[in-house]
Amino acid sequence: MGAQKFESIDLQGKVALVVGATSGIGWAVASALSGAGASVAVAGRRADRLAELAASLSGPVLPVELDVTDADSVEAAVAATVAEFGHLDVLINNAGVMYIGGVLGGDTAEWERMIRTNLLGNMLVVRAALPHLLSARGTIVQTSSTSGRLSTAGSGAYSATKAGVNAFSEALRQEVTGAGVRVVVIEPGYVTTELVDHITDPAMRAMAAEMQETMTTLQPGDVAAAVLFAVAQPQHVSVSELLIRPTDQLQ
Ligand code: NDP
């Protein structure tokens, strides 16, 4: 998706940190924020992807290696962003993994990785960035999922992490909204990204592939447009939740 689409939105002077920027939704959001004029720190584990993304952006950009399961790494990434750009206005808290499968015989290592990444990692990122976002009266965009609202067979552990993100985000919103910090929960349905590539359960892989073939799925840029809509609202307008599905997705 071209960044031109966002030229009507002006985020000049704003600084954003996009966590989970190396592919999919995060990559598209980082491109969109940069296209709208923001300075962008892009973070994730894959340094080669960060360099590739940084090279594709024309505005100020800082690639930062970051593993959200490591609290020190999270603190360092936030510090590097503020050291480079002076402040932090927008946090896109988007890192996530999805290993779907049944509860019976469920892979506990996968459950733990999802909880550490999607839920605890998300919380660590908020904790580290919050002082700067309070100073800037900034915006926190929390990537949840339709799975955070509607749990279905096979998605129990993943849904639990996203329901956790929703719960954490609402408490966070109540804590900081009086100080002018906006908390936006984005809940996408099926988006074509690398997320499903990591599913190990053969039946679940087949189900994901079938969904992909039988529906016109969202593209990362569709979600980026929703994120930009929320971020670009006037300061007194807080878009607390945005649920965005492919039109032909039932649940
Ligand atoms: P991708 O797999 O394309 O992107 C996932 C991103 O998360 C990558 O940038 C990855 O970077 C990053 N990430 C994963 N683990 C870590 C970690 N330990 N530390 C830092 N970064 C990490 O998938 P999506 O773009 O689809 O996913 C983005 C978010 O959107 C996730 O939270 C996902 O749950 C959510 N979502 C996705 C939907 C979909 O249908 N695709 C629907 C609803 C929500 P790297 O590997 O380089 O570290």
Side-chain angles (χ1 to χ4, degrees):
M1 182 194 48
Q4 303 88 316
K5 190 172 174 182
F6 300 102
E7 276 174 357
S8 58
I9 295 176
D10 185 7
L11 296 177
Q12 294 276 345
K14 299 290 184 191
V15 175
L17 168 61
V18 183
V19 177
T22 56
S23 57
I25 294 169
W27 181 294
V29 173
S31 300
L33 288 165
S34 178
S39 300
V40 186
V42 291
R45 292 168 302 179
R46 287 171 289 176
D48 56 334
R49 293 288 191 92
L50 293 173
E52 194 187 326
L53 173 58
S56 76
L57 304 179
S58 51
V61 58
L62 175 72
V64 192
E65 277 186 63
L66 157 70
D67 183 340
V68 297
T69 65
D70 174 350
D72 292 340
S73 159
V74 170
E75 294 281 347
V78 170
T81 303
V82 175
E84 176 76 11
F85 296 124
H87 55 110
L88 177 61
D89 303 285
V90 180
L91 170 65
I92 309 294
N93 202 1
N94 172 73
V97 286
M98 182 179 77
Y99 308 104
I100 45 180
V103 176
L104 184 65
D107 185 326
T108 55
E110 291 187 346
W111 292 2
E112 188 168 338
R113 209 169 309 144
M114 282 193 286
I115 292 166
R116 285 192 182 281
T117 307
N118 302 3
L119 181 55
L120 185 58
N122 178 285
M123 294 160 67
L124 292 175
V125 172
V126 169
R127 184 180 182 282
L130 198 52
H132 304 289
L133 292 158
L134 283 162
S135 296
R137 293 166 66 83
T139 305
I140 302 170
V141 177
Q142 296 276 79
T143 308
S144 180
S145 168
T146 47
S147 299
R149 286 225 206 164
L150 185 70
S151 187
T152 51
S155 79
Y158 179 72
S159 290
T161 66
K162 293 301 188 180
V165 168
N166 290 0
F168 181 73
S169 301
E170 175 56 16
L172 173 68
R173 188 191 68 75
Q174 292 180 26
E175 182 176 331
V176 299
T177 196
V181 174
R182 302 180 301 179
V183 178
V184 181
V185 178
I186 298 279
E187 300 162 295
Y190 198 121
V191 189
T192 297
T193 69
E194 296 174 14
L195 195 70
V196 292
D197 298 350
H198 309 293
I199 300 170
T200 53
D201 183 305
M204 291 293 154
R205 279 184 78 90
M207 187 191 74
E210 195 198 332
M211 281 177 83
Q212 173 119 333
E213 279 162 22
T214 55
M215 74 171 70
T216 307
T217 60
L218 298 176
Q219 299 302 311
D222 299 323
V223 181
V227 170
L228 266 273
F229 165 79
V231 169
Q233 292 301 309
Q235 224 284 331
H236 70 286
V237 179
S238 182
V239 179
S240 302
E241 281 186 67
L242 270 175
L243 189 147
I244 170 170
R245 286 188 178 97
T247 305
D248 49 11
Q249 179 175 335
L250 197 60
Q251 295 181 318

